[in-house]
Amino acid sequence: MKKVEAIVRHFKLEDIKNALAERGVHGMTICEVRGFGRQKGHTEMYRGTEYAVDFVPKVKIEVVVSDANLPLVLDTIMRSAQTGQIGDGKIFVHELANVIRIRTGETGEDAL
């Protein structure tokens, strides 16, 4: 099992959610996050004063999938989130030792 974390632009969230749902992936967790990478933030004007926005607002999507579904999920997120511009985001893949469904006590892939 793998945990996929994708840091993406806010306006791409619905596209990603809908594309994953069309491919049978229904469970996910969403967090509002801030950060920077190569983009290194940007400058904005407020009441005539220029200031730096060091941490850019993004959305973090977390999805847990079986090893067999990993390529499908990665491809779906990449295609849905890509604009071709700097700041499209990153995808991280983590190995999971176990998953437990609290309600039933199911473990492993049965808990997904």
Side-chain angles (χ1 to χ4, degrees):
M1 293 174 297
K2 303 285 192 258
K3 178 180 177 183
V4 177
E5 291 182 2
I7 311 295
V8 298
R9 298 173 187 268
H10 277 89
F11 68 89
K12 287 297 194 169
L13 177 58
E14 281 299 312
D15 294 342
I16 295 166
K17 182 185 77 144
N18 293 335
L20 287 171
E22 285 174 10
R23 287 160 183 81
V25 179
H26 299 289
M28 64 180 68
T29 302
I30 308 297
C31 299
E32 303 259 345
V33 296
R34 296 179 163 275
F36 68 91
R38 290 186 182 162
Q39 194 176 3
K40 295 188 177 102
H42 60 277
T43 58
E44 290 186 5
M45 294 288 285
Y46 181 72
R47 295 189 178 185
T49 304
E50 190 174 283
Y51 67 99
V53 177
D54 294 331
F55 293 101
V56 180
K58 301 281 184 174
V59 174
K60 179 166 78 168
I61 302 169
E62 296 178 340
V63 181
V64 177
V65 297
S66 65
D67 289 339
N69 286 338
L70 181 64
L72 173 75
V73 169
L74 294 177
D75 184 61
T76 302
I77 293 172
M78 283 183 53
R79 289 178 188 267
S80 301
Q82 194 171 53
T83 68
Q85 303 295 315
I86 293 173
D88 276 350
K90 295 252 188 325
I91 299 174
F92 304 97
V93 180
H94 306 276
E95 185 72 38
L96 288 182
N98 199 5
V99 175
I100 301 169
R101 184 184 310 259
I102 294 172
R103 179 177 56 88
T104 62
E106 295 171 296
T107 61
E109 289 192 16
D110 292 337
L112 297 179

